[in-house]
Amino acid sequence: MKRRRSHLKLPRESLTQSFALVALLLLGAVALAGPSGVLAWTENARLLEQRQAEVKQLEAERDRLRNRVDLLDPRHADPDLVGELLRSDLNVAHPDELVIQRK
C-alpha cells in the first residue's frame, strides 16, 4: 500500500512542481521583457538622453526669450532691438538702408 500512495502522490507533486516552474518562468519573462525589465532599460536610457537634449534646447530658447524681454523693458528699452522690431513688423526702412531679403 505504501507504494500505491507514493505512486499517487507523484502526479500531484509533479503538477505542483510544474506549476511552480511555469510561474517562475513567467516571472523571469516579465523581469526580462516587461515594462520595467532589462530590455526596457536601453529604451528608457535612449529616451532619457533625448529628453535631456530637448531640455537643453528649450532652456537655451527660454534664455534667449528672457534676454529679449529684458531688452524690451519699457523703462529702459534697447534702441537697436526696438528699431529692429519696428522695421520687421511694420516693413519700414530708412532711406539710406539696404534691404536684403532672406530666402
Side-chain angles (χ1 to χ4, degrees):
M1 280 243 173
K2 287 185 180 180
R3 285 187 180 176
R4 276 190 145 182
R5 282 190 167 185
S6 65
H7 190 266
L8 291 176
K9 285 187 177 182
L10 185 62
R12 187 179 303 160
E13 289 176 4
S14 177
L15 182 64
T16 305
Q17 289 175 355
S18 298
F19 178 72
L21 179 64
V22 168
L24 185 62
L25 289 175
L26 284 174
L27 286 175
V30 169
L32 183 67
S36 61
V38 175
L39 297 178
W41 280 14
T42 56
E43 179 69 19
N44 289 338
R46 185 183 61 80
L47 286 174
L48 178 63
E49 289 175 5
Q50 282 181 347
R51 300 279 161 71
Q52 287 174 341
E54 185 179 347
V55 165
K56 285 182 183 180
Q57 180 184 6
L58 290 173
E59 285 175 348
E61 178 71 14
R62 181 195 62 202
D63 293 340
R64 187 186 68 78
L65 289 173
R66 183 177 292 151
N67 183 35
R68 286 183 70 93
V69 166
D70 290 341
L71 290 175
L72 288 174
D73 186 15
R75 292 173 294 195
H76 48 81
D78 181 40
D80 292 333
L81 183 59
V82 170
E84 176 187 332
L85 289 175
L86 284 173
R87 287 186 192 100
S88 67
D89 290 344
L90 299 177
N91 291 327
V92 296
H94 291 290
D96 61 343
E97 288 182 335
L98 177 63
V99 177
I100 300 174
Q101 294 182 356
R102 294 183 189 176
K103 290 185 179 183

